[in-house]
Amino acid sequence: ADGSELEGATIQIIDGKGRIENEWVSGDEAKEIQGLKTGEEYTLRVTVAPEGYTIPSDTAFTIDEKGEVTSSGTVNEDGTMLVELEKTEVSVAVVDIADGSELEGATVQILDSNGKVVDEWVSGVEAYDFEGLKTGKEYTLRVTVAPAGYKIPSDTTFAIDEAGKVTSTGTVEDGVILVELEKTKGSVVVVDAANEKELEG
């Protein structure tokens, strides 16, 4: 998003035969690799992403006899290959379970596995986006206040895998977690006060 250097990513350079030529953990400066063969295609692979980031797709690259790098990824002006990582993202929409229309006015929380509130917001007419959650960890979605005329639903849990895919005990549509609310219901019966038999009319 902003081009800042990220620490804590484990990166591999793999040759055409699948052998790991080099492996390191990213720091706050570019890593310089020497001794790679010219004309051979290598793969640049992230095996571990820093917390709150997804693992990107592999990129392929070659080095020509002049030392210039050609890559399927991004190479900046000075020939440095960039391994670009995206923050994890989750989208949450509060909807009416009957017709799927988005509901305003629900207070929703994301809680971590220790029950600590990571984020809280009031639903609007569009899905709410949150970035930077850890991959492989289970989170809970909880509604603490429902819009007028709706019931508070049961909690649902969700997790984000290293590729950024969201799975949930609730409903997920097009990558958006749906918090489905039901309208409140009540029944009225007219009865005889003496014997509690139902009365018509």
Side-chain angles (χ1 to χ4, degrees):
D2 61 11
S4 59
E5 297 210 19
L6 295 173
E7 298 181 55
T10 301
I11 303 168
Q12 296 176 338
I13 292 178
I14 301 166
D15 68 15
K17 295 178 181 175
R19 294 181 299 222
I20 298 171
E21 288 283 330
N22 206 304
E23 184 174 39
W24 72 98
V25 176
S26 65
D28 58 0
E29 292 183 0
K31 170 80 171 174
E32 190 172 292
I33 310 295
Q34 296 181 342
L36 297 178
K37 296 175 184 174
T38 59
E40 183 168 341
E41 185 172 272
Y42 291 93
T43 299
L44 196 59
R45 177 173 295 159
V46 176
T47 59
V48 177
E51 284 190 355
Y53 287 85
T54 59
I55 291 179
S57 301
D58 293 350
T59 55
F61 71 94
T62 56
I63 304 168
D64 67 17
E65 292 174 355
K66 296 178 183 176
E68 291 183 11
V69 176
T70 303
S71 173
S72 62
T74 304
V75 180
N76 69 12
E77 311 82 45
D78 66 3
T80 302
M81 286 186 292
L82 303 181
V83 179
E84 298 173 309
L85 275 59
E86 293 182 356
K87 286 185 177 178
T88 60
E89 184 176 44
V90 62
S91 295
V92 180
V94 179
V95 298
D96 185 312
I97 196 168
D99 62 11
S101 59
E102 296 209 22
L103 298 172
E104 297 181 69
T107 302
V108 186
Q109 295 177 334
I110 296 175
L111 296 92
D112 65 16
S113 58
N114 297 318
K116 180 184 171 193
V117 177
V118 177
D119 196 23
E120 183 177 57
W121 71 95
V122 176
S123 65
V125 293
E126 293 184 358
Y128 180 80
D129 297 327
F130 188 78
E131 293 183 331
L133 294 175
K134 297 175 185 176
T135 60
K137 304 288 183 182
E138 188 173 84
Y139 292 90
T140 299
L141 270 176
R142 177 172 295 161
V143 176
T144 58
V145 177
Y150 286 87
K151 297 189 289 186
I152 291 178
S154 301
D155 293 349
T156 56
T157 59
F158 71 92
I160 306 167
D161 70 15
E162 291 178 336
K165 183 182 176 186
V166 176
T167 55
S168 174
T169 56
T171 304
V172 180
E173 271 185 17
D174 300 322
V176 179
I177 302 173
L178 302 182
V179 178
E180 298 173 308
L181 274 59
E182 287 185 81
K183 287 184 177 175
T184 55
K185 295 176 184 176
S187 297
V188 178
V189 179
V190 179
V191 297
D192 185 306
N195 57 24
E196 293 191 357
K197 286 187 177 178
E198 290 191 29
L199 299 174
E200 296 181 48

